[in-house]
Amino acid sequence: MGKRKLVVIGNGMAGARAVEEVLARGGADMFDITMFGDEPYGNYNRILLSNVLNGSQYPADIVMNPLDWYRDNGITLHAGSPVTDIDRAAKTVRSAAGVHVSYDHLMIATGSRAFIPPVEGMTGADGQLRHGVYAFRTLDDCDGIIAKAKESRQAAVIGGGLLGLEAARGLINHGCKVHVIHIGKHLMEQQLDGPAGAMLRSAMEAMGVEVHLHKSTTAVLGDERGITGLAFKDGTTVECDLIVVSAGIRPNAEIGMRCGLTVERAIVVDDHMRSIDDPDVYVVGECAQHRGRVYGLVAPLWDQAKVLAEHITGRNRQAAYHGSKLATKLKVMGVEVAAMGITEPTEERDEVVQFTEPKRGTYKKLIVRDGRLVGGILMGDISKAAYLMQAFDRDTPLPEERLSLLFDIGAPAEKVTLEEMPGEAQVCNCNGVTKAAIGACVAGGARNASAVMKATRGGMGCGSCKGLINELVDFFCGGEAEEDPSIHYYVPGVPLSTTDLIDAIVANDLRSVSSVFKVLAGGKEDPSSKPGLANLLSTVWKGEYEDERDARFINDRMHGNIQKDGTFSVVPEMPGGVCTPDELKRIADVAVKYKIPLVKLTGGQRIDLVGVPRDDLPGVWKELGMPAGHAWGKSYRTCKSCIGTDHCRFGLGDSMALATKIERRFRGIDSPGKLKLATAGCPRNCSEAYVKDIGAVAIGDDKWEIYIGGAAGAHIRKGDLLCVVGSHDEALQVMGRFMQYYRETAKWKERTYSYVERVGLAKIKSIVIDDSEGIGDRLDKSIQQSIDAYRDPWLEGQQPATPNQFTSLVPAEG
Amino acid sequence: MAQDISSIDVSWIEVGKVADIPPAGARVVKSSQGDIAVFRTADDAVFAVRDRCPHAGGPLSQGIVHDARVTCPLHNWVIDLASGAATGPDEGCAGTYPVRVEDGVILLGLKLPAAAA
């Protein structure tokens, strides 16, 4: 059977995503795909237009499907060529440029356009927006706004919804005075209630945006030389020479109407995302109306695209979309907001739980119905957002004590201000450095935190007080602490970021730590930077570099963790915490024979033989006959596991098997910081997978949630959900890809918990999951090469890397 | 223990060849006075320091050697190999031993047993 013809009208986020989902289900073998788009570009991330406007990203950064993607997937793309007609009887479509193609299946993903209110003077004679007036919907709109903003003094944004406020933020960065004109009673009515809207307004006004509420715009003022202002129904005016219209969106559903499909607010679809009139016409995204609802956010669109793909490819003809619950998390003008569901109680039994602290801009309001969350607004402090959004989405019962919905009860008391802190208060507990000592150091001339840490040793122990030291240095410098440029480097001794450093190492073919210093640091060898560089060389060159042992920290020379008496600990590999009785016996025999002073279980579900002198290491390793557990360095450490499915009555996934596969695959892989992993067979999380650098949690149906950036050491943080995968193999692939990206972009000793926060989950997701930069294959390949180059370091016990590696010089008697 | 060891009469004993120690490395000599760390720097200078960091007794011989200094592996104190003294903000001294090299052989000066009490 030949391939069927799939024609897609619309090349935005919905159309492109739906095609991606189709391709992911083997669609390339089933369909010849043709796509039509209005805009002359590949698909880009419309949500990020606000970043383009405020200058934090370039247009190229937000492209999700570059033109190559279409070519590589055999898709014929007609970009900049809107479809004008659909002939359902003949099953053909025709574009404005005269392209005429037939289809077996049609997908309409025309999205929506900005709603332009009928206001006098808004459009010119040709019906187009006049010069100086812009919608905020496309890259071209953005270009126009940016160009105009350069010469503009005062800008007005019509519309105080989410998008309008994003536009206002962007305009401020271009140096304009900005007005927000809103017809409603308060800002962001879709997501916020009155009090929250009022608080947002004061936050925005504090940043210099003037907010005008209850204003119905009646005219754009000005003449052919340009616009000069806006007039309102109440007789008032505002001066401006640039106008951005963000007064809502309208679905592009006309094309459906013209070809006889049922259109209400948008094209009406069934649960398979097909038009209710024609089984060969699918509709997805903002132009689709499902069960009476039209969605304007991106999350429902992902769900719709999946259902559509399952259905059209025949993978699952029963796949059905049941509608989405809307929850959003965003940052408006620096104010963090999370909103879900309804904004006001609608039934008598609805229970409202709220907290307001206007001075700090904190507002929390939840609407509970029958013990379940049906609406919520968090502003200022959104630390509970992840939990609440999950409870909202999954409809889970809430704890009786409603207070715990708003706050983490039992958390440490609010810390005292820097000013209130007494001089003798100890800031660094590892090295006993007080607030006064830091003050004295600044008084003595230190102008940045790095200089203070070097001079006082504060922050050089476990490092958990570094943030506080930074704040204190800034405090003592009167808010004018200098930034130490080295905080952006991979290691302080080489002035390059991780990616730049890797590029320079490859470009100059540098294969030893000393040559890196020679070429990239003017020959100055910084001892504290050596171990980091040795580690990075291994990441870049796999096995193919000059291993200068003196650059390694002792743990990496002896393949064990040095103890305070100079002996070492020996931890053999034990994936998922599982070993055989035979291995257990050998461990016991070795401990007896070598008189090992302490045998202890580690936190990573292994057995630690503590107190082995250097000279005994080769013998101990050999007689154990088990591979190294890598319990010493900056590398993959271990993967804990719970019992999983074989024996546990709650288990949803085989966590032990997954942990074993993970350990066998990633053992010993070098990385900028330790990587501690865990797999949990169900969300009860017995193995603590939520607080690991990488954790996998089974949720049933062979599905695993993959979390990254968790920590439960000096710093405690729950990991962020990276994605949900459908098999062990997929889990291994995603983990490997994330690890490699981390290896190539993190700073030395930067653990995933701070790395994920610095880089941002959205960016990591786009690279690791969506492959937005097209580097996924290369990352996969690179981690595979590192895996292939792995050699058990304990084999050095039999073939030492340097003479006398494991012996003293001479046992002299003096 | 901060006595000036070098001023006391010493006996010179051979402790091996310079080539036995990797550059920017160290090995340990076990003596009745405790472990002594013998260092070889990247430019082949040789030093002998008591193998106990003045901070918490860490084995200096296991540290990273840079120029004529070593960083203790336990808490990163930096000890000057010529004087045995801690550098930077830290205070303390590990104590040094006289050492010389003849024909590539390292000679370590130890106190005479009679003076050792």
Side-chain angles (χ1 to χ4, degrees), chain A residues 86-92 103:
Chain A
I86 299 170
D87 184 338
R88 289 202 287 122
K91 297 187 110 174
T92 59
Y103 66 80

Side-chain angles (χ1 to χ4, degrees), chain A residues 76 153 198 235 325 335 377 408 426 452 482 625 642 662 689 738 767:
Chain A
T76 310
R153 287 177 37 250
K325 296 179 106 178
V335 180
I377 299 166
D408 282 318
Q426 190 150 300
V452 169
E482 289 165 9
C642 63
I662 289 171
F738 168 69
I767 294 206

Side-chain angles (χ1 to χ4, degrees), chain A residues 233-312:
Chain A
K233 205 172 176 180
D234 59 5
T236 56
T237 58
V238 153
E239 272 184 38
C240 63
D241 49 16
L242 162 61
I243 296 169
V244 176
V245 184
S246 179
I249 54 173
R250 290 291 177 271
N252 289 320
E254 291 78 1
I255 194 159
M257 210 178 292
R258 282 204 301 276
C259 69
L261 300 176
T262 302
V263 176
E264 292 172 3
R265 288 194 295 142
I267 304 170
V268 180
V269 297
D270 64 13
D271 285 356
H272 304 306
M273 299 312 295
R274 289 181 307 187
S275 157
I276 55 171
D277 309 291
D278 188 335
D280 292 324
V281 177
Y282 292 83
V283 188
V284 63
E286 294 172 335
C287 58
Q289 175 182 327
H290 174 262
R291 298 190 190 174
R293 297 185 69 182
V294 180
Y295 297 95
L297 289 173
V298 75
L301 184 162
W302 299 156
D303 296 337
Q304 294 178 355
K306 273 202 184 97
V307 168
L308 185 158
E310 287 280 303
H311 193 265
I312 198 171

Side-chain angles (χ1 to χ4, degrees), chain A residues 455 457 614 804 809-810 812 814, chain B residues 15 20 30 32 62 75 89-90:
Chain A
R457 303 190 68 82
R614 178 175 175 145
N804 307 320
L809 184 64
V810 269
Chain B
V15 294
D20 293 337
K30 294 200 180 296
S32 62
Q62 317 282 307
H75 308 98
D90 303 315

